[in-house]
Amino acid sequence: MFDIRSIRENPEAFDQGLRRRGLAAQSVHLLELDSGRRSLLTELQQLQSRRNDASREIGGARKAGRDASGLMEEVAAIKDRMAAIESRERELAAGLEAMLAAIPNLPAADVPDGRDERDNVELRRVGEVRTFDFTPRQHDEIGAELGMMDFERAAKLSGARFVILTGALARLERALASFMLDLQTREHGYIETNPPMLVRDTALFGTGQLPKFGDDLFRTVQGHWLIPTAEVPLTNIVADEILDEAALPIRRAALTACFRSEAGAAGKDTRGMIRQHQFYKVELVSIAHPDRSAEEHERMTSCAEEVLKRLGLPYRVVVLCAGDMGFSATKTYDIEVWLPGQGQFREISSCSNCGDFQARRMKARFRPQGEKNTRLVHTLNGSGLAVGRTLIAVLENYQQADGSVVVPEALRPYMGNLAVIRPDA
């Protein structure tokens, strides 16, 4: 969310940032609302001053025995006018806030220009893509042959975009999640956190999912929302707080179920586990000093990459162009893992620096040491990693011609030292 003062000070830069996002300029309309609201506030102050003067004059007239009826009528008229102005000012303020709340964050200066994913820029590739002496299968075929991945029974229970994992594949999903959490907390300094998975409107507003993306979420009849990612509760832990500068950065990691309606994904990835209504993810969140958030962004991305390195999964890192970034991000790196069954790279993590965009919505600040004034923190989030998609990558990259799947060495301690998953496992 934006401070209208910054738009007032540099409307051209604001509009240029929106154009890079593929959006129309909005500063003129925003500043018209702002100007109208400020004019009303000025008039309100003038009326308040005149009402105070008139009230004193009424007192003086009464003491002197003069007729004060005209002054009393004036005060009554001023009160009516002030009530009307206050009502109109609240209306303009609400309209201005609603407009500001619906505008995405502006891209950082070093974000490449572009309209969509075709304009994203590859930064690096890591790992060797395996050469198969057979035609590699996709994960759903592998899971079905193992007898441990059931979409039909899941659909009977819940409809499309759900799955039931059993046996060694259920354990593999649990092993992946435990491995990721252990790596991020024991080696990378993230604090393991178990947050609520039901949140209020304010939490989703704070991280930017509401009001614009409500259709992408699931809501309970009691009014709570199921989280689309642990970014929401983890980031909002510092909402409405003033932190000590020495406490920064705050790094948190959480394993949670995530719930998404996939409202805009009709016809996309209908096969298998790529895009589901319910999935598990290890989320990384950093609350950082604004002078060091760019450095924190690079660190977070490397922490997510390390999971794939330890698992021996080939991947690439791309920086998203301005037109492809998420609503709250000012810069995003996507990590895409190689899926031999699909013959392409697919997103497995998205690491974003949101600058002070979410912090302003959440009113999350810190007080620099030795200063009275406060500053907004910077917030960052990233997947470390999406557990289901990592399971897909393991199945496809470690599949064998006989239908079995080799367990990566890093996961074997979590799998009771199981080295190969077979149909009879």
Side-chain angles (χ1 to χ4, degrees):
M1 194 165 176
F2 299 94
D3 185 344
I4 190 62
R5 290 174 295 182
S6 67
I7 301 173
R8 197 186 303 146
E9 292 167 0
N10 201 341
E12 294 83 5
F14 176 75
D15 285 340
Q16 178 58 25
L18 293 182
R19 291 189 192 98
R20 294 185 64 203
R21 280 272 199 172
L23 301 173
Q26 298 192 44
S27 67
V28 171
H29 186 36
L30 290 167
L31 293 178
E32 284 177 353
L33 287 175
D34 177 53
S35 177
R37 176 175 170 270
R38 288 190 295 135
S39 294
L40 290 174
L41 290 173
T42 298
E43 184 180 353
L44 197 62
Q45 290 174 344
Q46 293 171 344
L47 289 170
Q48 177 74 52
S49 178
R50 175 55 193 153
R51 186 183 69 174
N52 293 340
D53 290 343
S55 296
R56 286 192 292 269
E57 291 172 14
I58 289 171
R62 285 175 172 171
K63 286 182 180 179
R66 297 193 305 272
D67 180 19
S69 57
L71 288 169
M72 294 175 67
E73 290 175 1
E74 180 185 0
V75 168
I78 288 173
K79 287 182 178 179
D80 291 341
R81 174 61 181 160
M82 288 178 65
I85 289 175
E86 288 171 346
S87 176
R88 177 58 179 160
E89 189 276 329
R90 286 193 297 269
E91 183 181 322
L92 288 179
L96 181 60
E97 183 175 353
M99 282 192 67
L100 290 171
I103 298 171
N105 202 354
L106 302 183
D110 60 347
V111 167
D113 289 329
R115 297 177 58 185
D116 54 36
E117 62 183 11
R118 292 170 294 185
D119 298 316
N120 295 339
V121 177
E122 182 177 312
L123 300 178
R124 56 186 173 272
R125 294 193 181 198
V126 179
E128 293 294 326
V129 172
R130 175 183 168 191
T131 300
F132 291 82
D133 56 8
F134 61 92
T135 302
R137 296 175 293 278
Q138 294 195 38
H139 69 279
D140 54 315
E141 297 174 282
I142 299 168
E145 289 182 12
L146 290 171
M148 303 174 189
M149 184 180 292
D150 195 330
F151 294 97
E152 291 185 5
R153 287 190 173 94
K156 181 175 65 176
L157 296 173
S158 305
R161 298 190 188 275
F162 289 93
V163 68
I164 296 172
L165 299 178
T166 55
L169 288 195
R171 184 169 186 177
L172 180 62
E173 184 177 52
R174 175 162 55 94
L176 283 164
S178 297
F179 165 69
M180 292 174 190
L181 266 183
D182 286 348
L183 175 62
Q184 303 301 352
T185 57
R186 294 176 182 176
E187 298 188 33
H188 296 156
Y190 287 88
I191 301 170
E192 184 170 351
T193 307
N194 188 3
M197 285 180 278
L198 291 168
V199 295
R200 296 174 175 170
D201 297 23
T202 51
L204 287 157
F205 177 83
T207 45
Q209 283 81 10
L210 289 180
K212 194 169 184 178
F213 302 103
D215 289 344
D216 295 330
L217 309 172
F218 288 109
R219 192 177 191 182
T220 71
V221 294
Q222 289 83 10
H224 285 86
W225 300 81
L226 294 168
I227 60 170
T229 165
E231 167 201 347
V232 177
L234 290 183
T235 309
N236 275 278
I237 288 174
V238 298
D240 299 307
E241 293 191 9
I242 298 176
L243 306 169
D244 290 333
E245 183 178 23
L248 303 177
I250 297 171
R251 300 181 179 120
R252 293 184 179 271
L255 167 66
T256 66
C258 304
F259 305 89
R260 298 182 185 178
S261 71
E262 299 293 351
K268 296 179 181 177
D269 296 312
T270 55
R271 175 178 177 173
M273 290 178 59
I274 286 287
R275 196 180 297 272
Q276 299 223 290
H277 290 311
Q278 173 188 311
F279 58 95
Y280 288 94
K281 183 155 65 82
V282 171
E283 185 73 3
L284 308 177
V285 162
S286 293
I287 311 300
H289 193 289
D291 297 343
R292 293 184 285 277
S293 67
E295 174 186 338
E296 186 70 15
H297 192 199
E298 301 296 329
R299 182 188 188 277
M300 175 180 283
T301 304
S302 70
C303 290
E305 288 183 70
E306 187 62 27
V307 177
L308 296 173
K309 290 178 181 178
R310 300 280 180 97
L311 294 175
L313 296 171
Y315 68 92
R316 69 174 186 169
V317 179
V318 300
V319 58
L320 300 194
C321 69
D324 196 37
M325 290 194 307
F327 181 81
S328 296
T330 186
K331 185 177 182 179
T332 297
Y333 295 123
D334 269 7
I335 304 173
E336 300 176 349
V337 70
W338 175 252
L339 298 182
Q342 293 192 18
Q344 62 179 323
F345 288 99
R346 296 300 303 264
E347 178 196 336
I348 199 167
S349 174
S350 190
C351 297
S352 296
N353 186 350
C354 298
D356 63 9
F357 184 83
Q358 293 177 328
R360 183 170 286 106
R361 297 168 79 100
M362 296 187 305
K363 300 179 177 61
R365 299 176 178 271
F366 75 99
R367 178 170 283 111
Q369 189 172 1
E371 298 183 18
K372 291 183 179 180
N373 294 331
T374 61
R375 295 178 64 186
L376 292 166
V377 298
H378 280 195
T379 61
L380 303 95
N381 64 81
S383 306
L385 303 165
V387 179
R389 291 197 177 191
T390 311
L391 182 143
I392 290 170
V394 169
L395 293 181
E396 294 198 10
N397 282 277
Y398 283 92
Q399 63 180 296
Q400 305 299 303
D402 64 357
S404 64
V405 177
V406 174
V407 177
E409 289 188 12
L411 296 179
R412 292 178 188 179
Y414 298 88
M415 294 286 292
N417 293 317
L418 181 69
V420 181
I421 299 175
R422 305 182 189 278
D424 59 348

